[in-house]
Amino acid sequence: MEHQIHYTGAMDVRCQFCGALRFEREQLNCYHNGKVSLPPLQENPENLRLLFDADGAEGSNFRQNIRNHNSAFAFTSFGTNIRPPPGRGPYCFRLQGQTYHYAINLRADDPEERRYGQDGRIFSF
C-alpha cells in the first residue's frame, strides 16, 4: 500500500480579532466572529517577571520547572457530566456538556469549616 502525502499548507492566516494563526482552509469561529471582546491580559507581577527574565541559576531553574510549579499550585478539581461509553473495551470516559474547574480559597473564613488545602500551608519540594 502506498502512502499519500497530505499537505495542509502553511499556518499563515491571521485571525482579525485575536491575531491567532490558522491554516487557510481551517474553519474558525474565533471570538464569535468579533461579537465577544475580552480585556487585555494583565502584566505579570514584578517578582514573577524577574524569574522569567533572570539569567542566573534561580531563573534557569524556574523556567525549566515552570510546569511542575504550576501543577503544584493548581488547587482545582475537575467537574463534568461523565457518561461511560457503551460496550466493552479499555477504560475511558466521555464528557457531556460543559467542563468545569472548581477552585477554593487557600484560607477558610471559618477555621472550623476548613477543607482540603485550606490550612494555610503550602509545601514545595
Side-chain angles (χ1 to χ4, degrees):
M1 174 182 244
E2 191 173 320
H3 295 283
Q4 291 183 339
I5 296 175
H6 178 77
Y7 179 65
T8 58
M11 185 185 279
D12 59 358
V13 177
R14 190 167 296 278
C15 173
Q16 65 180 339
F17 304 112
C18 72
L21 292 174
R22 63 178 178 86
F23 297 105
E24 183 177 359
R25 298 183 75 190
E26 183 178 8
Q27 298 297 316
L28 191 64
N29 189 7
C30 194
Y31 285 84
H32 280 286
N33 295 319
K35 296 175 187 168
V36 174
S37 176
L38 298 177
L41 293 174
Q42 295 178 347
E43 292 292 323
N44 287 328
E46 180 71 13
N47 55 352
L48 188 59
R49 189 185 60 73
L50 290 173
L51 283 171
F52 275 111
D53 296 340
D55 289 330
E58 189 176 31
S60 177
N61 180 288
F62 175 77
R63 288 186 298 276
Q64 288 175 359
N65 295 293
I66 191 165
R67 181 168 286 178
N68 292 335
H69 294 307
N70 186 55
S71 296
F73 295 110
F75 292 100
T76 62
S77 62
F78 179 78
T80 189
N81 183 8
I82 298 175
R83 294 181 55 203
R88 298 171 46 108
Y91 175 76
C92 67
F93 63 91
R94 177 172 53 184
L95 304 179
Q96 176 185 2
Q98 288 189 305
T99 302
Y100 301 93
H101 286 88
Y102 300 103
I104 60 173
N105 292 330
L106 289 178
R107 291 192 171 260
D109 292 333
D110 181 357
E112 300 297 321
E113 297 292 322
R114 287 183 182 159
R115 297 189 316 212
Y116 176 78
Q118 288 186 317
D119 59 4
R121 296 177 293 168
I122 297 177
F123 301 98
S124 181
F125 301 96

